[in-house]
Amino acid sequence: MSVVAGDLKLDGLSMMLTGLLVLIAIPVIMVSLNLVRFAMERDVLYTVLAAVTLINLFLAIFVLPLMVLHK
Amino acid sequence: MMSLIFDLIKMLEFIAAGIVAGILGALAGLGGGVVLTPVLTLFLSVPIIYATGSALISTISTSAGSASVYVRKRLANDRIGISLVTATTTGAIVGSLTANYVYTHHLTWIIYVIFGLVLLASIIPTVQRSTCELPPPRNPDRTTRAFRLYGVCYDPALKIWYRYWGIRWWLGWLIMLFAGFISGLLGIGSGALKVLAMDWGMNLPMKVSTTTSNFMIGVTAATSGSLYWFFGYISPFIAACTAIGVLLGSRIGTRMLMYVTNRQVRWVFVAILAYLGFRMVLRGLGREGILPITSMERNIIAAVFASVIIISLYFIFTYKYKEIQDITLSIYQAQPENPGRIELKFINITSSLLKYGVLISIALLVLGSYSSSSTVVG
Protein backbone atom coordinates (compact mmCIF):
# COMPACT_ATOMS: atom_id res chain seq x y z
CA MET A 1 0.00 0.00 0.00
CA SER A 2 2.69 2.42 1.02
CA VAL A 3 4.70 1.58 -2.10
CA VAL A 4 1.73 2.33 -4.30
CA ALA A 5 1.11 5.54 -2.39
CA GLY A 6 4.77 6.51 -2.75
CA ASP A 7 4.71 5.77 -6.44
CA LEU A 8 1.63 7.87 -6.96
CA LYS A 9 3.10 10.67 -4.88
CA LEU A 10 6.25 10.68 -6.99
CA ASP A 11 4.06 10.65 -10.06
CA GLY A 12 2.21 13.72 -8.83
CA LEU A 13 5.45 15.57 -8.26
CA SER A 14 6.86 14.63 -11.65
CA MET A 15 3.59 15.69 -13.30
CA MET A 16 3.83 19.08 -11.59
CA LEU A 17 7.46 19.47 -12.64
CA THR A 18 6.57 18.58 -16.24
CA GLY A 19 3.82 21.18 -16.15
CA LEU A 20 6.25 23.82 -14.90
CA LEU A 21 8.78 22.82 -17.56
CA VAL A 22 6.16 23.19 -20.30
CA LEU A 23 5.32 26.62 -18.94
CA ILE A 24 8.95 27.77 -19.09
CA ALA A 25 9.36 26.23 -22.55
CA ILE A 26 6.45 28.22 -24.06
CA PRO A 27 8.27 31.61 -24.27
CA VAL A 28 11.43 29.91 -25.55
CA ILE A 29 9.51 28.29 -28.40
CA MET A 30 7.70 31.57 -29.07
CA VAL A 31 10.98 33.47 -29.47
CA SER A 32 12.41 30.71 -31.68
CA LEU A 33 9.32 30.89 -33.90
CA ASN A 34 9.80 34.63 -34.22
CA LEU A 35 13.46 34.09 -35.11
CA VAL A 36 12.46 31.74 -37.93
CA ARG A 37 9.81 34.18 -39.10
CA PHE A 38 12.21 37.14 -39.25
CA ALA A 39 14.78 35.01 -41.02
CA MET A 40 12.18 34.00 -43.61
CA GLU A 41 11.22 37.63 -44.08
CA ARG A 42 14.94 38.40 -44.61
CA ASP A 43 14.85 40.95 -41.83
CA VAL A 44 18.49 40.96 -40.68
CA LEU A 45 18.17 43.40 -37.77
CA TYR A 46 15.23 41.61 -36.17
CA THR A 47 16.74 38.18 -36.75
CA VAL A 48 19.76 39.35 -34.76
CA LEU A 49 17.57 40.81 -32.01
CA ALA A 50 15.57 37.57 -31.71
CA ALA A 51 18.84 35.63 -31.63
CA VAL A 52 20.14 37.81 -28.79
CA THR A 53 16.96 37.10 -26.82
CA LEU A 54 17.32 33.40 -27.46
CA ILE A 55 20.97 33.48 -26.34
CA ASN A 56 19.89 35.21 -23.11
CA LEU A 57 17.25 32.54 -22.51
CA PHE A 58 19.72 29.72 -23.13
CA LEU A 59 22.20 31.43 -20.81
CA ALA A 60 19.57 31.45 -18.07
CA ILE A 61 18.40 27.89 -18.70
CA PHE A 62 21.62 25.98 -19.44
CA VAL A 63 24.83 27.93 -18.97
CA LEU A 64 24.43 29.93 -15.76
CA PRO A 65 22.97 27.06 -13.68
CA LEU A 66 26.05 24.98 -14.56
CA MET A 67 28.35 27.82 -13.55
CA VAL A 68 26.48 28.44 -10.31
CA LEU A 69 26.20 24.78 -9.36
CA HIS A 70 29.88 23.99 -9.99
CA LYS A 71 31.26 27.03 -8.27
CA MET B 1 -5.67 10.56 7.59
CA MET B 2 -4.92 13.76 9.42
CA SER B 3 -2.09 14.63 7.08
CA LEU B 4 -4.28 13.89 4.06
CA ILE B 5 -6.84 16.43 5.24
CA PHE B 6 -4.06 18.83 6.15
CA ASP B 7 -2.58 18.60 2.65
CA LEU B 8 -5.92 19.07 0.96
CA ILE B 9 -6.55 22.14 3.12
CA LYS B 10 -3.11 23.51 2.22
CA MET B 11 -3.84 22.96 -1.46
CA LEU B 12 -7.20 24.72 -1.25
CA GLU B 13 -5.58 27.54 0.74
CA PHE B 14 -2.96 28.16 -1.96
CA ILE B 15 -5.54 27.97 -4.74
CA ALA B 16 -7.76 30.42 -2.86
CA ALA B 17 -4.81 32.79 -2.35
CA GLY B 18 -4.15 32.60 -6.09
CA ILE B 19 -7.79 33.35 -6.93
CA VAL B 20 -7.83 36.37 -4.60
CA ALA B 21 -4.56 37.66 -6.08
CA GLY B 22 -5.81 37.10 -9.64
CA ILE B 23 -9.08 38.95 -9.05
CA LEU B 24 -7.41 41.85 -7.23
CA GLY B 25 -4.72 42.14 -9.90
CA ALA B 26 -7.17 42.10 -12.80
CA LEU B 27 -9.50 44.64 -11.18
CA ALA B 28 -6.68 47.02 -10.30
CA GLY B 29 -5.02 46.54 -13.68
CA LEU B 30 -1.86 44.77 -12.51
CA GLY B 31 -0.56 41.26 -13.03
CA GLY B 32 -1.57 38.55 -10.59
CA GLY B 33 2.04 37.84 -9.62
CA VAL B 34 2.74 41.15 -7.95
CA VAL B 35 -0.34 40.69 -5.75
CA LEU B 36 0.31 37.02 -5.09
CA THR B 37 3.61 37.50 -3.24
CA PRO B 38 2.18 39.85 -0.55
CA VAL B 39 -0.86 37.60 -0.09
CA LEU B 40 1.31 34.52 0.34
CA THR B 41 3.88 36.11 2.65
CA LEU B 42 1.57 38.29 4.77
CA PHE B 43 -1.41 35.98 5.22
CA LEU B 44 -0.16 32.43 4.66
CA SER B 45 3.37 33.03 6.07
CA VAL B 46 5.08 31.40 3.09
CA PRO B 47 8.81 32.36 3.00
CA ILE B 48 9.26 35.16 0.49
CA ILE B 49 11.72 33.07 -1.56
CA TYR B 50 9.02 30.53 -2.41
CA ALA B 51 6.35 33.21 -2.77
CA THR B 52 8.37 35.02 -5.46
CA GLY B 53 9.17 31.74 -7.22
CA SER B 54 5.48 30.86 -7.37
CA ALA B 55 4.60 34.36 -8.50
CA LEU B 56 6.97 33.97 -11.47
CA ILE B 57 5.28 30.75 -12.54
CA SER B 58 1.80 32.22 -12.33
CA THR B 59 3.02 35.31 -14.19
CA ILE B 60 4.12 33.13 -17.12
CA SER B 61 0.80 31.31 -17.26
CA THR B 62 -1.41 34.40 -17.12
CA SER B 63 0.65 36.43 -19.58
CA ALA B 64 0.91 33.55 -22.06
CA GLY B 65 -2.84 33.00 -21.81
CA SER B 66 -3.75 36.58 -22.62
CA ALA B 67 -0.88 37.04 -25.10
CA SER B 68 -2.38 34.30 -27.28
CA VAL B 69 -5.45 36.50 -27.81
CA TYR B 70 -3.41 39.67 -28.38
CA VAL B 71 -1.12 37.98 -30.90
CA ARG B 72 -4.04 36.57 -32.87
CA LYS B 73 -5.81 39.93 -32.97
CA ARG B 74 -2.48 41.62 -33.79
CA LEU B 75 -2.88 44.07 -30.94
CA ALA B 76 0.63 43.38 -29.62
CA ASN B 77 3.42 44.75 -31.77
CA ASP B 78 5.81 41.80 -31.97
CA ARG B 79 8.62 43.82 -33.55
CA ILE B 80 8.69 46.31 -30.69
CA GLY B 81 8.31 43.39 -28.28
CA ILE B 82 11.28 41.43 -29.65
CA SER B 83 13.51 44.50 -29.90
CA LEU B 84 12.92 45.36 -26.23
CA VAL B 85 12.87 41.85 -24.84
CA THR B 86 16.65 41.74 -25.39
CA ALA B 87 16.89 44.30 -22.58
CA THR B 88 14.42 42.65 -20.20
CA THR B 89 16.03 39.21 -20.43
CA THR B 90 19.48 40.68 -19.79
CA GLY B 91 18.09 42.58 -16.81
CA ALA B 92 16.28 39.49 -15.57
CA ILE B 93 19.52 37.47 -15.51
CA VAL B 94 21.32 40.17 -13.52
CA GLY B 95 18.30 40.58 -11.22
CA SER B 96 17.97 36.87 -10.47
CA LEU B 97 21.68 36.59 -9.70
CA THR B 98 21.34 39.62 -7.39
CA ALA B 99 18.34 38.00 -5.70
CA ASN B 100 20.40 34.87 -5.13
CA TYR B 101 23.18 36.98 -3.59
CA VAL B 102 20.70 38.80 -1.34
CA TYR B 103 19.07 35.58 -0.09
CA THR B 104 22.33 33.77 0.55
CA HIS B 105 23.68 36.75 2.52
CA HIS B 106 20.58 36.99 4.77
CA LEU B 107 19.49 40.40 3.51
CA THR B 108 15.91 39.28 2.90
CA TRP B 109 14.47 42.43 4.48
CA ILE B 110 15.75 44.45 1.51
CA ILE B 111 13.55 42.36 -0.80
CA TYR B 112 10.50 43.11 1.36
CA VAL B 113 11.17 46.85 1.35
CA ILE B 114 11.88 47.07 -2.40
CA PHE B 115 8.88 44.91 -3.13
CA GLY B 116 6.60 47.18 -1.13
CA LEU B 117 8.00 50.30 -2.79
CA VAL B 118 7.63 48.82 -6.28
CA LEU B 119 4.04 47.81 -5.53
CA LEU B 120 3.29 51.34 -4.33
CA ALA B 121 4.99 52.92 -7.34
CA SER B 122 3.16 50.69 -9.82
CA ILE B 123 -0.15 52.00 -8.51
CA ILE B 124 0.42 55.43 -10.09
CA PRO B 125 0.50 54.32 -13.76
CA THR B 126 -2.50 52.08 -13.05
CA VAL B 127 -4.47 55.06 -11.87
CA GLN B 128 -3.23 57.24 -14.71
CA ARG B 129 -4.34 54.69 -17.29
CA SER B 130 -7.96 55.69 -16.87
CA THR B 131 -7.30 59.29 -17.86
CA CYS B 132 -5.84 59.38 -21.36
CA GLU B 133 -5.77 56.81 -24.13
CA LEU B 134 -3.65 58.33 -26.88
CA PRO B 135 -0.30 60.08 -26.39
CA PRO B 136 0.33 63.49 -27.95
CA PRO B 137 1.87 62.89 -31.39
CA ARG B 138 5.60 63.47 -31.77
CA ASN B 139 7.70 63.30 -34.89
CA PRO B 140 9.46 60.03 -35.68
CA ASP B 141 13.17 60.11 -34.85
CA ARG B 142 16.20 58.17 -36.05
CA THR B 143 15.47 55.03 -34.03
CA THR B 144 11.91 54.92 -35.38
CA ARG B 145 13.29 54.56 -38.88
CA ALA B 146 16.16 52.24 -37.95
CA PHE B 147 13.97 49.79 -36.03
CA ARG B 148 10.81 50.39 -38.10
CA LEU B 149 8.69 50.98 -35.02
CA TYR B 150 5.48 51.61 -36.96
CA GLY B 151 2.12 49.99 -36.59
CA VAL B 152 -1.62 50.44 -36.92
CA CYS B 153 -4.14 50.02 -34.17
CA TYR B 154 -7.92 50.05 -33.92
CA ASP B 155 -9.68 52.35 -31.49
CA PRO B 156 -13.06 50.89 -30.50
CA ALA B 157 -14.23 54.14 -28.88
CA LEU B 158 -13.66 56.30 -31.98
CA LYS B 159 -14.22 53.38 -34.37
CA ILE B 160 -11.23 54.18 -36.57
CA TRP B 161 -7.87 52.66 -37.43
CA TYR B 162 -4.94 54.89 -36.66
CA ARG B 163 -1.24 54.86 -37.32
CA TYR B 164 1.26 55.05 -34.47
CA TRP B 165 5.01 54.95 -34.14
CA GLY B 166 7.49 54.59 -31.32
CA ILE B 167 10.27 57.09 -30.67
CA ARG B 168 13.33 57.12 -28.38
CA TRP B 169 13.98 53.39 -28.63
CA TRP B 170 17.12 53.77 -26.49
CA LEU B 171 15.12 55.27 -23.60
CA GLY B 172 12.61 52.42 -23.79
CA TRP B 173 15.49 49.93 -23.87
CA LEU B 174 17.13 51.41 -20.77
CA ILE B 175 13.88 51.41 -18.78
CA MET B 176 13.29 47.84 -19.95
CA LEU B 177 16.70 46.85 -18.65
CA PHE B 178 15.68 48.17 -15.24
CA ALA B 179 12.26 46.51 -15.53
CA GLY B 180 13.98 43.20 -16.22
CA PHE B 181 16.28 43.69 -13.23
CA ILE B 182 13.31 44.34 -10.93
CA SER B 183 11.50 41.38 -12.43
CA GLY B 184 14.42 39.08 -11.66
CA LEU B 185 15.03 40.55 -8.21
CA LEU B 186 11.44 40.40 -6.98
CA GLY B 187 10.07 37.59 -9.09
CA ILE B 188 7.31 39.64 -10.71
CA GLY B 189 6.41 40.48 -14.30
CA SER B 190 6.95 44.22 -13.63
CA GLY B 191 4.31 45.03 -16.22
CA ALA B 192 3.81 48.53 -14.81
CA LEU B 193 7.44 49.44 -15.52
CA LYS B 194 7.23 47.95 -19.02
CA VAL B 195 4.14 49.99 -19.75
CA LEU B 196 5.96 53.08 -18.45
CA ALA B 197 8.85 52.42 -20.83
CA MET B 198 6.61 52.14 -23.86
CA ASP B 199 3.95 54.67 -22.94
CA TRP B 200 6.08 57.45 -21.49
CA GLY B 201 9.48 56.56 -22.97
CA MET B 202 8.53 55.57 -26.49
CA ASN B 203 5.27 57.52 -26.80
CA LEU B 204 3.21 54.52 -27.84
CA PRO B 205 -0.59 54.30 -27.39
CA MET B 206 -1.71 52.72 -24.14
CA LYS B 207 -3.38 49.75 -25.79
CA VAL B 208 -0.23 48.86 -27.71
CA SER B 209 1.94 49.28 -24.59
CA THR B 210 -0.19 47.03 -22.40
CA THR B 211 -0.62 44.26 -24.96
CA THR B 212 3.02 44.29 -26.05
CA SER B 213 4.21 44.27 -22.44
CA ASN B 214 2.04 41.20 -21.90
CA PHE B 215 3.88 39.50 -24.75
CA MET B 216 7.22 40.41 -23.17
CA ILE B 217 6.39 39.48 -19.58
CA GLY B 218 6.24 35.78 -20.41
CA VAL B 219 9.74 35.78 -21.91
CA THR B 220 11.17 37.80 -19.00
CA ALA B 221 9.52 35.63 -16.36
CA ALA B 222 10.74 32.46 -18.07
CA THR B 223 14.32 33.76 -17.87
CA SER B 224 14.17 34.54 -14.16
CA GLY B 225 11.93 31.51 -13.54
CA SER B 226 14.47 29.02 -14.85
CA LEU B 227 17.23 30.62 -12.76
CA TYR B 228 14.98 30.57 -9.66
CA TRP B 229 14.33 26.91 -10.39
CA PHE B 230 18.03 26.11 -10.34
CA PHE B 231 18.56 28.11 -7.16
CA GLY B 232 15.79 25.97 -5.62
CA TYR B 233 13.37 28.84 -5.02
CA ILE B 234 10.41 27.20 -6.74
CA SER B 235 8.38 24.87 -4.58
CA PRO B 236 6.46 22.74 -7.14
CA PHE B 237 3.42 22.27 -4.93
CA ILE B 238 2.94 25.94 -4.00
CA ALA B 239 3.76 27.07 -7.55
CA ALA B 240 1.29 24.62 -9.11
CA CYS B 241 -1.60 25.47 -6.77
CA THR B 242 -1.13 29.23 -6.98
CA ALA B 243 -0.70 29.17 -10.78
CA ILE B 244 -4.07 27.42 -11.09
CA GLY B 245 -5.62 29.90 -8.68
CA VAL B 246 -4.21 33.03 -10.31
CA LEU B 247 -5.30 31.88 -13.77
CA LEU B 248 -8.85 31.28 -12.49
CA GLY B 249 -8.85 34.52 -10.52
CA SER B 250 -7.68 36.70 -13.40
CA ARG B 251 -10.39 35.19 -15.64
CA ILE B 252 -13.01 36.00 -13.00
CA GLY B 253 -11.50 39.46 -12.54
CA THR B 254 -11.64 40.36 -16.23
CA ARG B 255 -15.26 39.15 -16.36
CA MET B 256 -16.09 41.27 -13.33
CA LEU B 257 -14.37 44.26 -14.95
CA MET B 258 -16.99 44.23 -17.73
CA TYR B 259 -19.74 44.75 -15.17
CA VAL B 260 -17.85 47.32 -13.13
CA THR B 261 -18.77 50.30 -15.26
CA ASN B 262 -18.24 52.77 -12.47
CA ARG B 263 -14.61 53.85 -12.51
CA GLN B 264 -14.71 54.95 -8.87
CA VAL B 265 -15.04 51.34 -7.70
CA ARG B 266 -11.55 50.58 -8.98
CA TRP B 267 -10.13 52.93 -6.37
CA VAL B 268 -11.15 50.45 -3.67
CA PHE B 269 -8.94 47.76 -5.20
CA VAL B 270 -6.10 50.18 -5.75
CA ALA B 271 -6.39 51.12 -2.06
CA ILE B 272 -6.09 47.45 -1.04
CA LEU B 273 -2.91 47.22 -3.11
CA ALA B 274 -1.50 50.34 -1.43
CA TYR B 275 -2.22 48.75 1.94
CA LEU B 276 -0.41 45.56 0.90
CA GLY B 277 2.54 47.63 -0.32
CA PHE B 278 2.90 49.44 3.01
CA ARG B 279 2.55 46.17 4.91
CA MET B 280 5.44 44.73 2.87
CA VAL B 281 7.69 47.72 3.62
CA LEU B 282 6.87 47.57 7.33
CA ARG B 283 7.38 43.80 7.40
CA GLY B 284 10.84 44.28 5.91
CA LEU B 285 11.78 47.01 8.36
CA GLY B 286 10.32 45.09 11.29
CA ARG B 287 12.27 41.98 10.38
CA GLU B 288 15.67 43.44 11.14
CA GLY B 289 14.51 45.30 14.23
CA ILE B 290 14.89 48.65 12.49
CA LEU B 291 11.29 49.43 13.35
CA PRO B 292 10.31 47.48 16.47
CA ILE B 293 6.50 47.44 16.33
CA THR B 294 3.88 44.74 16.74
CA SER B 295 1.89 43.35 13.85
CA MET B 296 -1.25 45.14 15.04
CA GLU B 297 0.55 48.48 14.93
CA ARG B 298 1.87 47.61 11.47
CA ASN B 299 -1.70 46.99 10.29
CA ILE B 300 -2.86 50.35 11.57
CA ILE B 301 0.10 52.31 10.19
CA ALA B 302 -0.25 50.63 6.77
CA ALA B 303 -3.98 51.34 6.65
CA VAL B 304 -3.49 55.01 7.58
CA PHE B 305 -0.70 55.55 5.05
CA ALA B 306 -2.61 53.76 2.30
CA SER B 307 -5.74 55.83 2.81
CA VAL B 308 -3.77 59.10 2.85
CA ILE B 309 -1.99 58.21 -0.41
CA ILE B 310 -5.12 57.01 -2.16
CA ILE B 311 -7.24 59.99 -1.17
CA SER B 312 -4.58 62.44 -2.35
CA LEU B 313 -4.10 60.53 -5.63
CA TYR B 314 -7.85 60.48 -6.13
CA PHE B 315 -8.08 64.25 -5.89
CA ILE B 316 -5.02 64.86 -8.06
CA PHE B 317 -6.27 62.65 -10.85
CA THR B 318 -9.91 63.67 -10.87
CA TYR B 319 -8.70 67.26 -11.09
CA LYS B 320 -6.24 66.47 -13.87
CA TYR B 321 -8.77 64.44 -15.82
CA LYS B 322 -11.09 67.45 -16.13
CA GLU B 323 -8.26 69.47 -17.68
CA ILE B 324 -7.25 66.80 -20.18
CA GLN B 325 -10.77 66.23 -21.45
CA ASP B 326 -10.83 69.53 -23.35
CA ILE B 327 -7.75 68.83 -25.46
CA THR B 328 -8.64 67.43 -28.86
CA LEU B 329 -6.09 64.96 -30.12
CA SER B 330 -5.04 64.78 -33.72
CA ILE B 331 -5.02 61.22 -34.95
CA TYR B 332 -3.33 59.84 -38.00
CA GLN B 333 -6.04 57.80 -39.62
CA ALA B 334 -4.94 54.74 -41.55
CA GLN B 335 -6.24 51.70 -43.34
CA PRO B 336 -5.98 48.31 -41.66
CA GLU B 337 -2.87 46.56 -42.89
CA ASN B 338 -3.04 43.08 -44.29
CA PRO B 339 -0.28 40.93 -42.83
CA GLY B 340 2.07 39.14 -45.19
CA ARG B 341 1.71 35.44 -45.89
CA ILE B 342 4.64 34.42 -43.68
CA GLU B 343 3.54 36.71 -40.88
CA LEU B 344 -0.02 35.39 -40.95
CA LYS B 345 1.18 31.80 -40.75
CA PHE B 346 3.42 32.50 -37.79
CA ILE B 347 0.77 34.52 -35.97
CA ASN B 348 -1.52 31.49 -36.08
CA ILE B 349 1.22 29.11 -34.95
CA THR B 350 2.33 31.38 -32.08
CA SER B 351 -1.21 32.01 -30.92
CA SER B 352 -2.11 28.33 -30.79
CA LEU B 353 1.23 27.48 -29.19
CA LEU B 354 0.49 29.92 -26.36
CA LYS B 355 -3.09 28.73 -25.96
CA TYR B 356 -2.49 24.98 -25.98
CA GLY B 357 0.81 25.20 -24.13
CA VAL B 358 -0.90 26.88 -21.19
CA LEU B 359 -3.75 24.37 -21.32
CA ILE B 360 -1.38 21.40 -21.28
CA SER B 361 0.77 22.76 -18.48
CA ILE B 362 -2.23 23.70 -16.34
CA ALA B 363 -3.76 20.25 -16.87
CA LEU B 364 -0.48 18.68 -15.72
CA LEU B 365 -0.30 21.03 -12.72
CA VAL B 366 -3.90 20.27 -11.67
CA LEU B 367 -3.42 16.50 -11.99
CA GLY B 368 -0.02 16.59 -10.30
CA SER B 369 -1.01 18.75 -7.34
CA TYR B 370 -4.22 16.80 -6.82
CA SER B 371 -2.57 13.39 -6.84
CA SER B 372 0.36 14.55 -4.73
CA SER B 373 -1.94 16.04 -2.10
CA SER B 374 -4.42 13.18 -1.97
CA THR B 375 -2.02 10.24 -1.82
CA VAL B 376 0.05 11.29 1.15
CA VAL B 377 -1.00 8.74 3.76
CA GLY B 378 0.10 9.15 7.37
Side-chain angles (χ1 to χ4, degrees):
Chain A
M1 185 60 211
S2 70
V3 175
V4 175
D7 210 349
L8 280 173
K9 186 190 167 197
L10 188 75
D11 200 29
L13 182 66
S14 61
M15 256 196 272
M16 279 193 285
L17 288 176
T18 320
L20 296 181
L21 259 181
V22 171
L23 217 48
I24 289 184
I26 292 170
V28 181
I29 301 172
M30 190 176 81
V31 174
S32 328
L33 276 174
N34 269 300
L35 177 78
V36 175
R37 180 196 135 191
F38 290 133
M40 280 170 77
E41 287 180 350
R42 305 205 184 280
D43 192 334
V44 179
L45 177 66
Y46 276 91
T47 312
V48 171
L49 285 172
V52 169
T53 310
L54 213 54
I55 289 169
N56 270 338
L57 276 167
F58 279 113
L59 261 180
I61 294 170
F62 300 113
V63 183
L64 281 172
L66 285 177
M67 282 165 64
V68 171
L69 290 178
H70 293 287
K71 201 163 56 181
Chain B
M1 198 58 208
M2 272 314 283
S3 97
L4 170 68
I5 294 168
F6 181 75
D7 271 29
L8 271 175
I9 289 174
K10 266 268 168 283
M11 178 182 166
L12 291 177
E13 228 174 47
F14 288 134
I15 293 180
I19 291 176
V20 169
I23 292 177
L24 261 178
L27 287 177
L30 287 172
V34 73
V35 193
L36 181 66
T37 303
V39 171
L40 284 181
T41 50
L42 295 175
F43 301 112
L44 295 179
S45 56
V46 173
I48 194 163
I49 297 181
Y50 299 123
T52 50
S54 314
L56 272 176
I57 294 299
S58 54
T59 303
I60 303 177
S61 68
T62 44
S63 87
S66 43
S68 99
V69 178
Y70 297 147
V71 168
R72 199 177 58 239
K73 288 187 180 170
R74 298 176 70 232
L75 276 170
N77 188 320
D78 40 9
R79 261 172 217 277
I80 295 178
I82 288 287
S83 73
L84 292 174
V85 110
T86 52
T88 58
T89 47
T90 312
I93 290 174
V94 178
S96 310
L97 294 176
T98 314
N100 188 37
Y101 179 86
V102 167
Y103 287 128
T104 47
H105 288 75
H106 306 289
L107 298 167
T108 313
W109 68 275
I110 296 178
I111 300 282
Y112 277 103
V113 174
I114 298 178
F115 197 104
L117 293 177
V118 167
L119 185 53
L120 287 173
S122 56
I123 283 172
I124 296 168
T126 324
V127 172
Q128 218 170 6
R129 190 173 302 176
S130 54
T131 57
C132 184
E133 185 66 31
L134 286 166
R138 279 173 211 263
N139 289 330
D141 63 4
R142 210 183 308 157
T143 55
T144 314
R145 284 185 284 276
F147 289 94
R148 275 166 285 142
L149 306 171
Y150 299 100
V152 286
C153 183
Y154 181 71
D155 191 312
L158 301 167
K159 292 200 172 58
I160 52 162
W161 286 83
Y162 61 92
R163 194 168 169 71
Y164 64 85
W165 53 83
I167 58 163
R168 290 184 301 209
W169 182 81
W170 53 272
L171 184 63
W173 200 88
L174 283 178
I175 302 174
M176 285 297 175
L177 194 65
F178 182 65
F181 176 75
I182 291 292
S183 157
L185 184 67
L186 305 178
I188 57 177
S190 70
L193 262 172
K194 289 191 173 73
V195 170
L196 178 81
M198 286 188 274
D199 180 51
W200 176 76
M202 295 176 67
N203 208 43
L204 288 167
M206 202 40 138
K207 181 163 275 159
V208 179
S209 315
T210 44
T211 50
T212 308
S213 88
N214 218 300
F215 168 89
M216 299 168 63
I217 284 170
V219 185
T220 317
T223 313
S224 3
S226 78
L227 279 171
Y228 271 57
W229 185 322
F230 283 104
F231 295 141
Y233 297 162
I234 289 177
S235 147
F237 185 66
I238 303 179
C241 295
T242 49
I244 298 162
V246 170
L247 206 62
L248 274 176
S250 57
R251 285 281 157 87
I252 299 170
T254 19
R255 280 282 156 75
M256 280 166 75
L257 209 55
M258 289 180 207
Y259 298 106
V260 182
T261 42
N262 189 356
R263 285 215 172 276
Q264 318 287 343
V265 179
R266 279 185 69 178
W267 285 91
V268 177
F269 305 109
V270 174
I272 296 173
L273 290 188
Y275 168 75
L276 288 177
F278 278 113
R279 275 290 299 270
M280 288 299 271
V281 173
L282 292 173
R283 175 81 171 261
L285 293 178
R287 215 184 144 88
E288 287 301 300
I290 300 169
L291 206 69
I293 47 172
T294 61
S295 110
M296 192 61 206
E297 284 167 330
R298 259 185 240 159
N299 266 326
I300 296 166
I301 294 173
V304 170
F305 269 110
S307 41
V308 168
I309 291 272
I310 287 303
I311 290 168
S312 49
L313 273 179
Y314 177 80
F315 281 111
I316 292 169
F317 280 109
T318 41
Y319 176 66
K320 221 176 142 187
Y321 185 46
K322 273 178 195 139
E323 282 195 336
I324 285 173
Q325 262 183 334
D326 297 330
I327 303 167
T328 46
L329 287 161
S330 52
I331 291 172
Y332 293 84
Q333 228 171 312
Q335 292 299 314
E337 273 176 6
N338 283 321
R341 199 170 49 84
I342 299 172
E343 197 184 341
L344 200 65
K345 199 159 125 197
F346 276 94
I347 282 173
N348 286 332
I349 297 174
T350 312
S351 168
S352 33
L353 162 83
L354 290 168
K355 195 167 142 199
Y356 294 112
V358 172
L359 273 179
I360 291 169
S361 74
I362 290 298
L364 282 167
L365 292 180
V366 171
L367 284 173
S369 61
Y370 178 72
S371 61
S372 80
S373 81
S374 58
T375 48
V376 181
V377 182

